[in-house]
Amino acid sequence: MPHSVNFKALDLERGKCGMAKDYGQYVGSSLAWWVKLVHRSSAWIVVLATMATGVSLYYTVNHLGINTDTAEMLSEELPFRRNYNEFKEAFPQFDDAMLIVIDGETPDLAYDASIALAAGLKRRSDLFVTVYLPGGSKFFQRHGLLYLGPVELDELADNLARIQPFLGKLTRDRSLRGFFSMLTSAVNAVMDGEELDLTAVFERVHQAIAATVQKQHYALSWQELMLGGESTADGLRRFIMTQPRLDYSKLFPAETAIKTVRALTAELNLTEAHGVRVRLTGDAALEYEELLSVTRGAGIAGILALASVGVVLFVGLRSPRLVTATLLTLIMGLVWTAWFASVAVGHLNLISVAFAVLYIGLSVDYALHFCLRYRELIQQGESHGDALQQTAGDIGGSLVICSFTTAIGFYAFIPTAFAGVAELGLISGTGMFISLFANLTVLPALLSLMPLRLEPLLSGQKPSRFVAALSSLLSRRSRAIRTGALVSGIGAVLLLPHVSFDSNPMNLRDPESESVATFIDLLAQRETSPWTLTVLAEDDKFATGYADRLTDLDLVDKCVVLDYFLPANQDEKLSKIEEIALIVGPELTTTSQEPPPNTSEQLAALYDFSATLESYIKSTNNTNVTVPTQRLSDSLKRFNATLGALDRASQSQLLMKLQTSLLGSLSSQLRALNALLEADKVTQSDLPVDLVERWRSRDGRYRIEVFPRENLSDGETLRRFIAAVRTVAPNATGFPIIYVEAGDAVVRAFQQALALALAAIVALLVILMHSRRDVLLVILPLLLAGALTGAASVLLRIPFNFANVIALPLLLGIGVDSGIHMVHRLRTAPPSDGHILQTSTARAVFFSSLTTIASFGNLAISAHRGMASMGELLTLGIGFTVLCTLVILPALADLGNRRSVVPVVVRP
């Protein structure tokens, strides 16, 4: 016959080495007596439980807040937290900042958009503490040329000297008539032998005309024409740094401020259709979109989980009544646990909000074990009342042990420095006792009101052929199973040193979200990297000294201090600016204007230029005509043909659109040039107040900002940059340090808590079980499942992170609970005709794990990569836990029982 576990031998040693006999008898009889009372008063208990749930729900909704400030989840006593808090006290305007990135098709558009948007945001002081536009103050509008190099100033002077004769005419007539008259004069000058490069101008005019005909947006950049050449990517980009007022009592603290920016952007027509793109990033925007992504993902996952869990429960319990009772008990217990959270803590954080996930995953395990044992007894012919009492007596002891061991596992997180997990430990640990009470009170009461009515067809039901065949196979191959477990365990342990923790929060967020995509875009460029480090210095001299030493480091690109904004070589530059003013003359700054032309005058100037351009092309015999010149000629022909087919009113509208495209930014650029030519010498006392406040605190300390030379998206590069800076400034701070140190703190916290939890669980099992062999039967499969999960994370490249690390206490709880249930069943009610896989306990373990996978495994499809990794890790971990519990544990239990005997049932 197949080799089976010697249940008789196991049961006979209960009194000295199994589940403690006095404990089992006392707890079993006590719980049976309690369930008997519940059965008699089931209606009143359900009414009271429903009322308690209603009151708890009302209290929770009105008192349980959500604190989404991630910085508050770590102890303030940690050194990096103290350094950052010191920085926040000195420069509070950088805390919870939001960065608005404005990209324009031209530098003119970007500049004008930033000025308009910043002005609108400054009027909303109720939503924004600070609004800072770098380079947007009157100081930079006047002294901006001092920040150019001498070579750049010479190039500016040469370019303005070339266009001054033509630009002077346009300043007096800023219309299409003046513009095309200027171009006509320029072409005539070229035909007379003057050397003028009109290629860039012709290309831009061609683009403007083509866009006008196609009804598209275009804006000619007069800044580029004056400076000469195309703008770089940095020249087309402007920034606005804001500090929104955040309300942490709301799920989305920055939502109102962000929606205000969006609304103002739309109101000002700062859209891609108008040549401008406005994007939001920075800490406030990143957290907002992350929470939005998480809630959307959770909503989809919730619908899928509800459907899949319902299917799994129905398949596992095979009774609508048992499913209904289970779900109602689960909901009530969850509400009571939320009430406890509102009373004991008062708020949830981004970590402790997972208490609901953990509660559902573990509490459904209790309900399944109760319902399936109850069903099994009903099938054996027990009456309803006796089945409830015997169920409590049979599995109540294991449920109590599971509650204590799992609660201890959660409570072990309380003394760690990770306050977010400590709060989760308190809530979820207490939730296990709430779950125990609910499943031993509310569940039997509900079952008493709707008792399971067993159809004759189900009476004496036999296990499925598949389960029977699998049980037989596992019994015969127990030695091979143990050998395989040993080999796989050794292999997994060898891979564990390669388990990694990804502390980069960017890798958790949806890469398609605007804030993340913008952040990554900025991170790839030295000049705009948002991941910089900050050093505080006592005075100006220390700040300069730090900056000099830090700049010498290979991994540092540059350091910025307040003195960085004092232009160098001012006397030389002021002399060059005076020369530029003489070159420009008073014509470019004149305010006198000719009367605006009518449509006929504009058409005449257009046709005159078209004819002059054609004459120029013919004069060269088409041999030296540049591509832009020919394109412009072709565009003019099409445009003139279009105008000829329109009435006078439509002609006027089309010409006005072209005039806006060509001359829209001319006046503002002339005003800007006029202001720049009034520069004078700058000292530190002349620097604008809003600039100084960002570099010198009120108590006199100075800020040094350290820019990396390399892209910090790589974790190793990030750590090397931090280590290099700390060789000069050990107290440096900034988000790169916070993320790295927070990750290290989380790893230490979980290592400490899991070690403490495991030690406490083992100690409790030793006390309650008395038998070291039984303790090993619970712990060894758990350790193997943990090692296999860690190894799988290495092989599948799923690093641990701030999101999926929450799966560890859930896996610990499920593993311990499943092991306890299996060992308890082997000791108290072993199967009389086969392998333990054919019992309700194994079925409960399997379907409990399946419901957890169904609940949270679908997170793997979430756009939020942190949630997706949690779903992946939970699915892997629970799969290994089920495998070790249902396959490895029975094989270990069979060790030492080599004689084949007929299994017998010895009830306690």
Side-chain angles (χ1 to χ4, degrees):
M1 62 177 292
H3 186 64
S4 62
V5 178
N6 187 343
F7 292 116
K8 181 177 180 179
L10 294 176
D11 191 64
L12 290 176
E13 62 180 7
R14 284 177 53 216
K16 58 179 182 178
C17 61
M19 193 78 64
K21 185 174 182 180
D22 53 348
Y23 164 80
Q25 290 180 340
Y26 177 76
V27 173
S29 60
S30 298
L31 293 179
W33 172 80
W34 172 255
V35 170
K36 182 178 180 180
L37 292 180
V38 169
H39 174 59
R40 291 176 177 176
S41 308
S42 56
W44 282 107
I45 288 176
V46 171
V47 170
L48 291 174
T50 303
M51 294 174 60
T53 302
V55 172
S56 299
L57 182 62
Y58 177 82
Y59 184 91
T60 301
V61 169
N62 289 279
H63 293 85
L64 185 61
I66 297 180
N67 184 357
T68 53
D69 188 355
T70 54
E72 298 299 324
M73 293 192 296
L74 290 167
S75 171
E76 292 189 358
E77 298 304 316
L78 294 171
F80 75 92
R81 283 293 311 277
R82 290 200 299 266
N83 291 338
Y84 187 69
N85 287 337
E86 182 182 358
F87 166 67
K88 286 198 303 182
E89 291 174 3
F91 297 94
Q93 63 267 45
F94 292 102
D95 188 31
D96 295 320
M98 181 168 66
L99 182 65
I100 304 175
V101 182
I102 303 171
D103 293 299
E105 292 180 355
T106 67
D108 317 49
L109 285 173
Y111 178 79
D112 292 342
S114 66
I115 292 291
L117 184 56
L121 295 178
K122 287 180 179 179
R123 290 192 291 268
R124 295 303 309 268
S125 58
D126 58 320
L127 296 178
F128 297 92
V129 181
T130 60
V131 177
Y132 177 68
L133 175 62
S137 64
K138 291 183 178 179
F139 171 86
F140 288 103
Q141 292 172 3
R142 179 178 179 182
H143 299 97
L145 292 181
L146 289 174
Y147 294 91
L148 296 178
V151 175
E152 293 172 306
L153 286 173
D154 288 337
E155 292 175 351
L156 175 62
D158 294 341
N159 197 56
L160 287 174
R162 285 193 295 269
I163 68 173
Q164 192 276 339
F166 308 101
L167 196 58
K169 297 178 182 179
L170 184 58
T171 57
R172 294 189 298 272
D173 184 4
R174 303 174 188 178
S175 66
L176 283 183
R177 178 184 63 187
F179 181 77
F180 285 118
S181 295
M182 179 195 73
L183 289 182
T184 300
S185 299
V187 173
N188 285 327
V190 171
M191 289 192 291
D192 291 339
E194 188 171 340
E195 293 186 3
L196 282 176
D197 185 4
L198 300 176
T199 302
V201 177
F202 284 176
E203 178 62 26
R204 287 172 169 81
V205 176
H206 153 68
Q207 293 174 357
I209 293 175
T212 301
V213 172
Q214 296 171 10
K215 297 181 180 181
Q216 296 177 349
H217 178 269
Y218 181 81
L220 177 65
S221 174
W222 284 94
Q223 179 177 322
E224 290 179 341
L225 288 175
M226 291 179 185
L227 294 176
E230 298 283 344
S231 295
T232 62
D234 290 340
L236 299 174
R237 177 170 289 170
R238 305 283 294 184
F239 299 98
I240 301 177
M241 302 175 183
T242 69
Q243 184 185 30
R245 299 185 186 275
L246 305 181
D247 183 1
Y248 284 111
S249 65
K250 297 180 179 179
L251 178 60
F252 302 105
E255 183 175 38
T256 304
I258 288 176
K259 287 186 174 180
T260 299
V261 175
R262 302 289 189 205
L264 185 57
T265 297
E267 180 183 329
L268 296 172
N269 290 322
L270 305 181
T271 62
E272 294 191 38
H274 294 84
V276 179
R277 180 172 64 158
V278 178
R279 296 178 293 169
L280 305 182
T281 189
D283 202 38
L286 285 166
E287 289 191 5
Y288 168 74
E289 289 199 339
E290 180 176 28
L291 287 170
L292 203 61
S293 174
V294 168
T295 52
R296 285 174 178 170
I300 297 173
I303 296 174
L304 293 175
L306 184 62
S308 55
V309 167
V311 171
V312 172
L313 284 177
F314 187 80
V315 172
L317 296 175
R318 291 179 292 180
S319 166
R321 297 188 181 191
L322 294 180
V323 172
T324 302
T326 297
L327 291 177
L328 289 176
T329 303
L330 191 66
I331 293 171
M332 288 186 180
L334 184 60
V335 172
W336 297 348
T337 304
W339 169 83
F340 171 78
S342 63
V343 172
V345 182
H347 65 265
L348 299 176
N349 57 59
L350 291 179
I351 299 295
S352 63
V353 73
F355 87 90
V357 173
L358 302 178
Y359 181 89
I360 293 172
L362 293 170
S363 184
V364 74
D365 176 66
Y366 294 4
L368 278 169
H369 279 282
F370 192 99
C371 288
L372 287 175
R373 181 55 177 159
Y374 163 73
R375 179 188 180 88
E376 186 179 41
L377 292 171
I378 291 290
Q379 289 178 335
Q380 293 174 3
E382 300 285 349
S383 66
H384 169 69
D386 291 342
L388 285 177
Q389 294 178 52
Q390 187 171 338
T391 297
D394 286 349
I395 71 166
S398 62
L399 291 181
V400 171
I401 295 179
C402 288
S403 299
F404 274 95
T405 54
T406 308
I408 288 174
F410 283 121
Y411 287 153
F413 287 89
I414 295 177
T416 67
F418 197 2
V421 173
E423 293 175 0
L424 173 66
L426 176 62
I427 297 169
S428 294
T430 306
M432 294 302 95
F433 295 116
I434 293 175
S435 175
L436 177 67
F437 174 79
N439 282 285
L440 291 177
T441 305
V442 178
L443 182 58
L446 289 170
L447 292 177
S448 295
L449 294 180
M450 44 182 181
L452 183 63
R453 300 184 184 281
L454 191 63
E455 296 83 353
L457 181 63
L458 296 177
S459 181
Q461 184 182 19
K462 300 294 183 182
S464 68
R465 291 183 178 180
F466 173 77
V467 174
L470 181 61
S471 301
S472 177
L473 177 64
L474 295 178
S475 296
R476 295 195 309 269
R477 303 297 184 186
S478 61
R479 177 176 296 179
I481 291 171
R482 293 193 296 270
T483 303
L486 179 62
V487 173
S488 60
I490 294 174
V493 170
L494 293 177
L495 288 174
L496 290 183
H498 301 284
V499 171
S500 62
F501 186 92
D502 185 359
S503 60
N504 187 344
M506 294 300 112
N507 294 335
L508 304 185
R509 293 165 171 150
D510 181 4
E512 301 299 323
S513 65
E514 179 187 87
S515 60
V516 175
T518 304
F519 189 94
I520 294 174
D521 180 23
L522 298 178
L523 195 62
Q525 304 174 41
R526 292 183 184 178
E527 295 294 326
T528 60
S529 176
W531 271 4
T532 60
L533 296 183
T534 296
V535 180
L536 295 183
E538 294 299 322
D539 55 36
D540 196 6
K541 292 182 179 179
F542 276 106
T544 304
Y546 269 126
D548 291 341
R549 284 184 289 159
L550 288 167
T551 305
D552 291 337
L553 298 173
D554 292 337
L555 295 177
V556 173
D557 183 51
K558 67 177 180 180
C559 290
V560 178
V561 294
L562 184 60
D563 285 347
Y564 178 87
F565 298 95
L566 293 177
N569 305 316
Q570 293 192 46
D571 292 335
E572 179 186 359
K573 293 177 180 179
L574 287 171
S575 177
K576 292 181 181 294
I577 292 173
E578 290 177 3
E579 293 177 7
I580 294 173
L582 292 175
I583 293 172
V584 170
E587 290 183 342
L588 295 187
T589 59
T590 182
T591 57
S592 60
Q593 297 285 307
E594 294 184 9
N598 55 37
T599 302
S600 297
E601 292 172 325
Q602 289 180 314
L603 287 172
L606 172 63
Y607 295 150
D608 186 25
F609 170 65
S610 299
T612 302
L613 185 62
E614 288 303 312
S615 297
Y616 166 69
I617 294 175
K618 290 179 181 179
S619 69
T620 61
N621 295 322
N622 294 321
T623 57
N624 295 321
V625 178
T626 62
V627 173
T629 303
Q630 189 61 56
R631 284 179 180 170
L632 177 57
S633 175
D634 296 339
S635 295
L636 285 169
K637 292 176 183 177
R638 289 191 294 268
F639 187 66
N640 292 337
T642 301
L643 285 170
L646 301 175
D647 56 37
R648 185 49 59 95
S650 299
Q651 288 179 335
S652 178
Q653 292 177 358
L654 193 61
L655 290 171
M656 184 56 66
K657 179 175 176 59
L658 179 60
Q659 178 172 301
T660 301
S661 297
L662 291 171
L663 303 172
S665 66
L666 175 62
S667 295
S668 63
Q669 291 303 312
L670 289 174
R671 288 193 300 268
L673 178 60
N674 184 39
L676 288 169
L677 295 177
E678 297 178 358
D680 54 19
K681 198 162 188 176
V682 173
T683 64
Q684 194 175 100
S685 61
D686 298 319
L687 296 176
V689 175
D690 59 350
L691 172 66
V692 174
E693 287 179 345
R694 303 182 76 82
W695 298 96
R696 185 176 64 203
S697 66
R698 293 182 179 181
D699 59 5
R701 285 179 290 177
Y702 285 73
R703 180 171 75 94
I704 305 105
E705 188 168 11
V706 188
F707 286 79
R709 188 179 299 277
E710 299 175 340
N711 189 333
L712 299 185
S713 58
D714 176 68
E716 289 301 317
T717 303
L718 178 62
R719 287 183 179 272
R720 286 192 291 108
F721 173 63
I722 293 173
V725 172
R726 280 179 163 175
T727 60
V728 176
N731 293 329
T733 187
F735 283 115
I737 288 179
I738 291 176
Y739 293 146
V740 170
E741 293 283 4
D744 293 343
V746 169
V747 171
R748 289 193 299 270
F750 271 89
Q751 287 175 339
Q752 172 190 342
L754 289 174
L756 181 60
L758 192 59
I761 288 171
V762 170
L764 185 62
L765 291 177
V766 169
I767 293 172
L768 295 178
M769 287 185 162
H770 286 264
S771 169
R772 294 180 181 178
R773 185 166 178 269
D774 285 354
V775 173
L776 289 176
L777 285 177
V778 174
I779 297 300
L780 289 180
L782 173 65
L783 295 178
L784 178 59
L788 292 174
T789 302
S793 74
V794 175
L795 296 175
L796 298 177
R797 297 182 180 180
I798 307 175
F800 286 94
N801 52 53
F802 291 105
N804 64 27
V805 76
I806 306 303
L808 293 179
L810 178 58
L811 295 176
L812 177 65
I814 291 177
V816 171
D817 290 359
S818 299
I820 290 173
H821 285 301
M822 292 287 285
V823 173
H824 188 65
R825 180 60 185 261
L826 287 172
R827 297 297 182 262
T828 59
S832 60
D833 56 354
H835 194 275
I836 193 171
L837 282 187
Q838 300 177 22
T839 65
S840 63
T841 300
R843 186 180 179 87
V845 168
F846 176 76
F847 281 102
S848 173
S849 301
L850 203 58
T851 55
T852 305
I853 292 176
S855 298
F856 313 116
N858 56 68
L859 292 175
I861 65 174
S862 172
H864 186 272
R865 290 187 290 186
M867 290 181 65
S869 68
M870 180 189 290
E872 294 166 353
L873 195 64
L874 272 172
T875 302
L876 285 172
I878 294 173
F880 285 126
T881 299
V882 172
L883 175 68
C884 293
T885 302
L886 297 183
V887 178
I888 308 299
L889 191 152
L892 292 175
D894 189 44
L895 185 62
N897 298 284
R898 303 189 181 279
R899 288 178 303 169
S900 179
V901 298
V902 178
V904 296
V905 178
V906 180
R907 297 188 181 278

